[in-house]
Amino acid sequence: MEQILEMVNIVKTFPGVVANNKVSFEVRKREIHALVGENGAGKTTLMNILYGLYKPDGGDIIIAGEKTSIDSPIVAIEKGIGLVAQHFMLIEPLTVAENIILGLETRKNKIFTDMRKANQKVKELSELYGLEVDPTARIMDISVGVQQRVEILKILYREAQILILDEPTAVLTPQETKELYKVLFSLKEMGKSVVFITHKLNEVMDISDRVTVLRGGKAIGTVNTSETDATQLASMMVGREVLMRVKKEGKKLGEAVLELRKVSAVDSRKLPALKNVSLEIRAGEILGIAGVQGNGQTELVEVLTGLRKATSGEVMLKGDSIINKNSRSIRELRVAHIPEDRNKRGLILDYDVADNLILGPHYKPPFTYRGKRNLQNVWQNARNLIAEFDIRTPSYDTKAETLSGGNQQKIVVARELGGDISLLVVSQPTRGLDIGTIEFIHKRILELRDKGVAILLVSAELTEIMSLSDRIAVMYDGNIVGILQDEEAKEEQIGMMMTGISKVDALRGEESD
Ligand SMILES: Nc1ncnc2c1ncn2[C@@H]1O[C@H](COP(=O)(O)OP(=O)(O)OP(=O)(O)O)[C@@H](O)[C@H]1O
Ligand SMILES: [Mg+2]
């Protein structure tokens, strides 16, 4: 197969870290090439170099047999390289088509400023590649999955031959992931190449032709997907065997910790999002919430953590009403929260790691006494959590924004799981984390349960919900369709209930086949 691009002995250092240590990487025409490795292994850095965002300290990039320097994304695009970043870069108030042509509209041929023509061209492109979008919709009104299609169209519009996707499926529902697969296969059919970064080894096995593994900034090896399996890849990534499944002890239920009675709320557009939701979680129990994203899970979590007002109903925490209290008062009652959107809600990227690790209780002892910060305690807390959660950072006073995506997430998880809590409300706890870290976080969540913490777990990963939950509530259209005990919860039934089918019908469906 024809090799179209080669990176040879790439070196990139940042203060205190060698992010890429003589990495070689090759892309062939018409292939899907997976790039995997632990959080902080250097994947994003390597691709940012290829896209001209970072200048390497050493090494060569060879395109079509010639040494090339790519010193800006403009050059990368000229060379046929396009990147969809780990965090999207779209402009919310603009339309789909406006975002796609952004930056090109000053070209000589006026076609680009004629919005009617631009809309038409975007539509044609979207049909050609099966990336369905409405060119006139505003970014802020479309789902994350559709925003991603816009990012992909944007680079196709610039005629990319090599498409780099940095953790594209981390934000997608299982259905959206399947649709993305189709798009990637058709891109390959048309002769394009795709570099696909992911932490999900089943995805690697499903769609890639080859896999390159990075560990600690070094390339460990490139293998043909047909000649490997998830277990082998996992041990190449982590350097040890990974269990991939945690053991759950029998549960010891305590008192009711959280009780919701007929809680309703509206979403940001003032449409009903939660409709009379009632549920109870007891000490020592994990209640999983399964459902297709956008069926009220986000609003449920926001109401519980004081980020959104309920319009009616009652929320009781150990017998006290907490409905419509603010986040700080709810936190004071030993409620921890891992939010789904960590960059927006979980971190202050401009602060250092130590300060991010105390957000929440930062204003009180042991971190602050009478308005004065106790730095020794702040740093000690940081040192402890960095070691315990294996946060890969040069130091505790490094700014959070320079950490790898997964290590930023570990900051939030460490902070929230590390405290003394009675209720944990957690959304997508392992999104973007590598398999070794997922195993570790799952163990920690189960330890909290065994210590008597009540846990509400929202996750788009059905396997995560199924392996951790004691009971599973399925949400559809703002309602809880039914609650399954873990022994009666099978993937098929949960899947049916996620489309609104009642528990009775879903369980009966099983008998009739
Ligand atoms: N702009 C930067 N400034 C300083 N350090 C950086 C910068 N970008 C990356 N690093 C460091 O380089 C290393 C590799 O980070 P990178 O983002 O490439 O990892 P990754 O493999 O993409 O991880 P993840 O799976 O968590 O996204 C990390 O130690 C990170 O802290
Ligand atoms: Mg990354």
Side-chain angles (χ1 to χ4, degrees):
M1 245 198 286
E2 190 188 339
Q3 180 210 75
I4 51 173
L5 180 141
E6 205 182 349
M7 300 178 86
V8 186
N9 287 330
I10 298 291
V11 176
K12 178 71 189 172
T13 50
F14 293 110
V17 225
V18 187
N20 287 161
N21 192 350
K22 299 205 166 170
V23 175
S24 294
F25 179 72
E26 168 216 68
V27 181
R28 294 176 184 164
K29 191 174 167 67
R30 213 186 284 274
E31 78 164 338
I32 299 180
H33 195 140
L35 183 59
V36 302
E38 290 183 287
N39 297 127
K43 307 178 294 294
T44 298
T45 303
L46 188 69
M47 291 303 111
N48 282 348
I49 288 171
L50 189 53
Y51 191 57
L53 287 166
Y54 293 152
K55 191 174 146 36
D57 304 325
D60 294 313
I61 298 177
I62 297 162
I63 298 179
E66 274 184 46
K67 253 195 219 176
T68 316
S69 78
I70 302 177
D71 41 28
S72 76
I74 296 174
V75 177
I77 291 162
E78 276 170 9
K79 310 250 177 229
I81 300 165
L83 171 86
V84 177
Q86 202 162 357
H87 304 113
F88 296 165
M89 311 206 173
L90 299 169
I91 300 179
E92 299 244 316
L94 297 187
T95 69
V96 167
E98 283 165 348
N99 266 280
I100 290 174
I101 63 166
L102 199 71
L104 297 175
E105 68 279 49
T106 51
R107 280 198 189 172
K108 279 172 254 129
N109 43 355
K110 277 283 169 41
I111 180 172
F112 295 101
T113 41
D114 181 340
M115 274 324 290
R116 248 203 339 228
K117 282 201 184 130
N119 287 343
Q120 186 53 38
K121 176 128 196 254
V122 169
K123 194 151 186 59
E124 283 164 18
L125 209 56
S126 98
E127 278 160 13
L128 177 62
Y129 293 103
L131 286 152
E132 221 175 289
V133 294
D134 168 6
T136 61
R138 280 180 205 289
I139 299 300
M140 57 195 190
D141 295 332
I142 61 179
S143 71
V144 185
V146 181
Q147 289 181 10
Q148 183 175 72
R149 286 183 215 151
V150 178
E151 290 274 18
I152 297 174
L153 280 170
K154 191 166 173 171
I155 59 180
L156 288 171
Y157 198 92
R158 286 155 180 75
E159 296 172 353
Q161 287 307 312
I162 301 175
L163 292 91
I164 306 165
L165 307 178
D166 196 346
E167 295 193 37
T169 58
V171 293
L172 299 185
T173 63
Q175 290 91 320
E176 287 172 328
T177 298
K178 290 269 141 44
E179 283 164 33
L180 178 67
Y181 283 5
K182 275 194 224 148
V183 172
L184 298 185
F185 285 131
S186 78
L187 287 169
K188 185 171 113 175
E189 284 292 289
M190 290 187 219
K192 299 197 187 276
S193 310
V194 176
V195 180
F196 185 92
I197 300 180
T198 184
H199 287 294
K200 299 178 193 166
L201 296 177
N202 60 329
E203 293 178 351
V204 173
M205 297 311 299
D206 283 349
I207 64 159
S208 70
D209 300 297
R210 294 195 298 159
V211 197
T212 293
V213 181
L214 298 186
R215 191 200 314 157
K218 293 197 177 128
I220 297 297
T222 298
V223 290
N224 291 324
T225 309
S226 58
E227 290 162 11
T228 188
D229 58 34
T231 317
Q232 188 197 356
L233 289 173
S235 61
M236 279 170 86
M237 279 166 61
V238 186
R240 66 171 167 94
E241 292 255 341
V242 181
L243 283 174
M244 310 235 232
R245 242 198 127 71
V246 287
K247 202 167 146 277
K248 198 163 77 181
E249 307 288 330
K251 63 184 165 192
K252 288 190 283 297
L253 288 185
E255 53 170 353
V257 173
L258 182 76
E259 233 181 302
L260 274 77
R261 295 188 207 125
K262 295 196 166 171
V263 174
S264 297
V266 294
D267 65 16
S268 317
R269 297 191 223 167
K270 304 268 184 289
L271 300 171
L274 279 187
K275 302 170 183 169
N276 286 320
V277 169
S278 298
L279 55 84
E280 185 191 82
I281 309 179
R282 294 170 61 181
E285 166 180 62
I286 300 178
L287 178 72
I289 305 274
V292 175
Q293 238 167 3
N295 277 283
Q297 301 94 317
T298 304
E299 290 79 7
L300 173 66
V301 165
E302 288 175 347
V303 165
L304 292 179
T305 52
L307 295 165
R308 178 178 297 277
K309 292 254 185 294
T311 47
S312 63
E314 184 56 275
V315 182
M316 306 293 282
L317 182 71
K318 292 195 165 176
D320 292 323
S321 170
I322 57 162
I323 194 152
N324 296 342
K325 287 199 168 174
N326 65 29
S327 316
R328 187 181 280 195
S329 342
I330 293 175
R331 260 182 189 286
E332 295 266 327
L333 297 166
R334 298 166 57 229
V335 176
H337 176 210
I338 299 177
E340 61 179 0
D341 190 339
R342 273 167 283 265
N343 279 333
K344 246 187 238 164
R345 289 217 151 120
L347 289 169
I348 302 180
L349 287 171
D350 198 31
Y351 283 16
D352 67 22
V353 174
D355 281 342
N356 271 291
L357 283 169
I358 60 164
L359 287 182
H362 56 278
Y363 58 91
K364 59 184 186 189
F367 305 124
T368 302
Y369 293 93
R370 295 206 195 103
K372 245 189 108 138
R373 177 77 41 104
N374 183 315
L375 288 176
Q376 289 311 326
N377 291 347
V378 173
W379 294 338
Q380 194 51 50
N381 174 69
R383 280 192 288 262
N384 293 345
L385 291 176
I386 287 169
E388 196 179 336
F389 286 83
D390 190 21
I391 301 171
R392 310 265 168 103
T393 174
S395 141
Y396 56 72
D397 59 6
T398 302
K399 275 193 184 181
E401 68 189 348
T402 70
L403 266 56
S404 80
N407 282 292
Q408 291 176 358
Q409 268 154 254
K410 285 196 223 169
I411 296 178
V412 181
V413 174
R415 181 183 70 213
E416 300 297 319
L417 297 188
D420 166 36
I421 56 175
S422 69
L423 173 69
L424 171 66
V425 179
V426 45
S427 272
Q428 324 295 353
T430 55
R431 183 179 272 174
L433 296 181
D434 64 54
I435 45 175
T437 309
I438 291 175
E439 183 188 83
F440 173 74
I441 302 290
H442 281 178
K443 277 192 199 146
R444 289 299 300 251
I445 290 177
L446 286 172
E447 273 166 35
L448 289 174
R449 158 197 184 259
D450 295 340
K451 272 200 256 163
V453 174
I455 298 169
L456 181 88
L457 167 72
V458 179
S459 174
E461 298 291 329
L462 213 45
T463 46
E464 176 162 78
I465 293 271
M466 291 180 52
S467 65
L468 294 180
S469 308
D470 297 302
R471 290 184 299 141
I472 299 174
V474 185
M475 278 191 88
Y476 176 75
D477 191 25
N479 289 301
I480 289 185
V481 186
I483 298 186
L484 297 159
Q485 297 292 335
D486 65 349
E487 57 276 7
E488 58 183 357
K490 306 234 169 52
E491 196 163 335
E492 215 184 324
Q493 276 68 51
I494 301 174
M496 285 164 89
M497 288 167 69
M498 280 164 66
T499 65
I501 293 171
S502 73
K503 176 176 169 180
V504 180
D505 286 344
L507 292 177
R508 192 184 302 134
E510 177 193 34
E511 283 158 26
S512 64
D513 316 315

